[in-house]
Amino acid sequence: MSDSELLELQMQGKDWRALDKALVTFFREQQQLPAALALLIGQCSFALSQGHLCLPLQRLPQQSEQDWLALMALYPDLFQLEQDNNQPFVYANNALYMRRYFSYQQQIALYLQQSSERSQQLRQTINPSVLNQLLDPLFPATAANAVDWQRLSCAIAASSSFSVITGGPGTGKTTTVVKLLLVLQQLQQQQGAAPLTIQLAAPTGKAAVRLRSSIRSTLDKQPASAEIKSQVPTDVSTLHKLLGARAQSRQFKQNEFEPLALDLLVVDEASMLDVELMAALLSALPAHARLILLGDKDQLASVEAGALMAQLCQWAEQGHYWPDTAAWLNQLSTVELPPQLISPQGKALEQQIGMLRVSHRFDPHSGIAKLANAVNGGQTAEVAAICQSVYADLQYLEATDFRQLKSFVLTGQGKSVLKDAAGFGFYLTGMAQGPALDASEQQVDQWAQQVLTDFSAFQLLCAVRQGPFGVEQVNLAVEKMLLQAGFIQHSTQQSSQWYAGRPVMVTQNDYALGLMNGDVGLCLSRPYQGKWILAVAFASEDNSKAVRWVLPSRLQQVETAFAITVHKSQGSEFRHAVLVLPDQFSPVLTRELIYTGITRAAKLFSLVCAKPDLLSLAIEQKVQRHGAVRL
């Protein structure tokens, strides 16, 4: 097939986005490009929609890489091969980039290089004996002859300009960072310096609310003075709010010309960070400020282009600490680092990464822990055996039609009786026990806050959007089940899509309302000025408010959220999480997706799988994204 025929096929087909096709049309009209280069531009744009930062030329079978280079050289205003004249496309690292994303990658790489140099200098100024005195009360020695990874990760971050603390669910990322902030403020006090100005942030509203709750509960338990504790913030902002997102713009109010007023920034759920947001964050970061990323390196990568956390922590499992780094850390530990984690070939960045390796949430012999570890290790046979075994916190359900699961959706109980299992009937029963018409505003808010908490007891997570086991059809099926059971009733006050008990997820940032993509709210019937009205309650980031209320008529970009995609669930935790796999294979079914779905469960996990073979196929497929920001 000729280049012209291939191009026509793509322009008429459904693979490329409208944006990809418009880009090709624009440059063909402007530059009179041959079909081969038009194809190249279209594929490069399409690669971004698949999460890649670039398009490796060796993946294009039409021509050799040298032939591509010769062809691009004929259009020097369009393609940067050597001299930089701000061309829209850049050839580098044997791949083609759109300039904007190449610039993001270069900006992040430069920051990592500079931060490594600053971190090495900073570590030389810290006296290990002084640091030990601050660490000891926060990390008391245990009888177990094992490395305290929380303590060592805290020491790594305390001596780094930029650091990453990674670990699976329940490994203590929040606990570690709270203790770290206490240590850093005490170091400031000892040096007679002013307390650090610290900001806490997360990519989404629900992740911010969850971090705030964890920070508060953890801080109260720490052995530190009230004065030092008061210097650790508990307010958490979304990154978009922190940076000052502008409506209808990719730009932020805070940037290199108007930097953030802080000395230290902690970003939770960093696996959700894409390279564009990371670059914007680094632009707004003051030159002297520290940056700490928290997250699980094995979770799904960001929805947008890049796989930042996975690339930064590529060798975290192996450590790759230099011998002098290991010697320094051994001064801060009662147990020496295992020799297999020490390597003279390690890179500078790896000296700034701490990995938490022990989960305190799950018993290592629990079903959830075993399943998550087996999935993460790609052990398909072990996964199949675990799914067929009996565990108190795990159940495996086969269903050829989602409607067969009605009783499970209402109660959370499947083929086995799980302790504390919850279905949607749990939060709807609590919702029905609502306040009186003359209840105070505080009573109404407290009731709504409790219903929101109860809603998080049970969540359906889908891998795909379309199909009988996709988000759209599952949501419709759940609504019908709840209607038939009498748990919900369509409202006569407004459009039938709105009813008391309807959970909704925001699908597009709404800066006027202060709601971000991924925020979840509940439509409730609440008293207001002597009558009942429908209003949507969202968890509030404001310390002074239990919830925030929004009228349904103001919510233009929302969808029902009995079932949400696994991607949208990142940053959330549910007492009982249910992963619903499709009945047909899809490219989105990956090891990272299965692992992320499992680790959303705090107490109970259920897997709904129509075809067991699909689970094995998914576990064998790992996310591979082209383009790297790692040094």
Side-chain angles (χ1 to χ4, degrees), residues 281-358:
L281 181 61
L282 295 181
S283 293
L285 204 63
H288 73 280
R290 298 189 192 210
L291 175 61
I292 301 166
L293 301 184
L294 307 178
D296 187 342
K297 67 181 179 63
D298 297 314
Q299 278 190 198
L300 277 168
S302 58
V303 175
E304 302 298 330
L308 188 65
M309 191 70 173
Q311 290 172 355
L312 292 176
C313 300
Q314 185 177 353
W315 301 106
E317 203 88 40
Q318 291 78 20
H320 282 203
Y321 295 118
W322 292 332
D324 59 343
T325 301
W328 192 83
L329 290 174
N330 285 339
Q331 296 179 70
L332 301 165
S333 173
T334 56
V335 179
E336 292 195 350
L337 280 177
Q340 62 267 28
L341 299 184
I342 303 171
S343 170
Q345 283 73 48
K347 296 185 179 180
L349 174 64
E350 288 150 3
Q351 316 314 302
Q352 300 157 240
I353 296 174
M355 181 173 172
L356 308 181
R357 300 163 188 261
V358 179

Side-chain angles (χ1 to χ4, degrees), residues 95 105 143 152 166 189 222 237 252 254 290 328 334-335 359 393 443 451 457 494 525 545 564 570 580 594:
Q105 179 173 291
L152 288 192
T166 186
Q189 187 181 66
Q222 301 311 312
S237 170
F252 294 94
Q254 310 297 146
R290 298 189 192 210
W328 192 83
T334 56
V335 179
S359 177
D393 61 342
Q443 290 173 321
V451 178
Q494 303 186 42
S525 180
K545 298 178 181 178
I564 61 176
Q570 288 185 264
V580 181
I594 303 298

Side-chain angles (χ1 to χ4, degrees), residues 130-249:
V130 172
L131 190 52
N132 266 326
Q133 291 173 10
L134 299 177
L135 292 172
D136 285 344
L138 296 167
F139 300 94
T142 61
N145 187 29
V147 174
D148 187 338
W149 296 110
Q150 291 187 13
R151 180 181 178 121
L152 288 192
S153 295
C154 182
I156 288 170
S159 59
S160 300
S161 169
F162 164 75
S163 56
V164 181
I165 299 176
T166 186
T171 51
K173 295 183 289 293
T174 304
T175 299
T176 302
V177 82
V178 167
K179 294 179 179 181
L180 167 64
L181 298 181
L182 290 169
V183 166
L184 291 175
Q185 294 293 32
Q186 288 177 87
L187 281 173
Q188 291 290 109
Q189 187 181 66
Q190 286 186 0
Q191 295 165 3
L196 296 170
T197 300
I198 300 170
Q199 291 272 11
L200 309 174
T204 66
K206 57 188 174 183
V209 170
R210 184 178 165 206
L211 177 61
R212 181 183 68 186
S213 176
S214 298
I215 291 281
R216 287 178 176 177
S217 61
T218 303
L219 186 59
D220 288 342
K221 303 171 187 174
Q222 301 311 312
S225 68
E227 179 187 2
I228 292 295
K229 286 184 179 181
S230 69
Q231 295 169 5
V232 174
T234 58
D235 287 347
V236 184
S237 170
T238 62
L239 281 171
H240 283 81
K241 184 176 180 181
L242 178 72
L243 293 173
R246 300 176 185 272
Q248 309 302 319
S249 172

Side-chain angles (χ1 to χ4, degrees), residues 26 66-67 89 125 152 172 244 352 503 521 552 595 625:
F26 173 79
Q66 290 304 314
D67 288 338
F89 296 93
T125 68
L152 288 192
Q352 300 157 240
Y595 172 81
R625 290 190 168 180

Side-chain angles (χ1 to χ4, degrees), residues 458-507:
F458 181 79
Q459 181 67 59
L460 299 172
L461 309 174
C462 295
V464 296
R465 293 196 61 82
Q466 275 79 43
F469 289 89
V471 166
E472 294 173 2
Q473 290 301 314
V474 169
N475 271 314
L476 290 173
V478 172
E479 277 189 333
K480 189 172 182 179
M481 293 173 190
L482 296 176
L483 276 167
Q484 291 173 345
F487 279 112
I488 62 173
Q489 298 178 22
H490 281 314
S491 172
T492 58
Q493 298 179 30
Q494 303 186 42
S495 166
S496 61
Q497 69 170 331
W498 289 104
Y499 52 84
R502 182 193 180 198
V504 293
M505 174 173 280
V506 178
T507 59

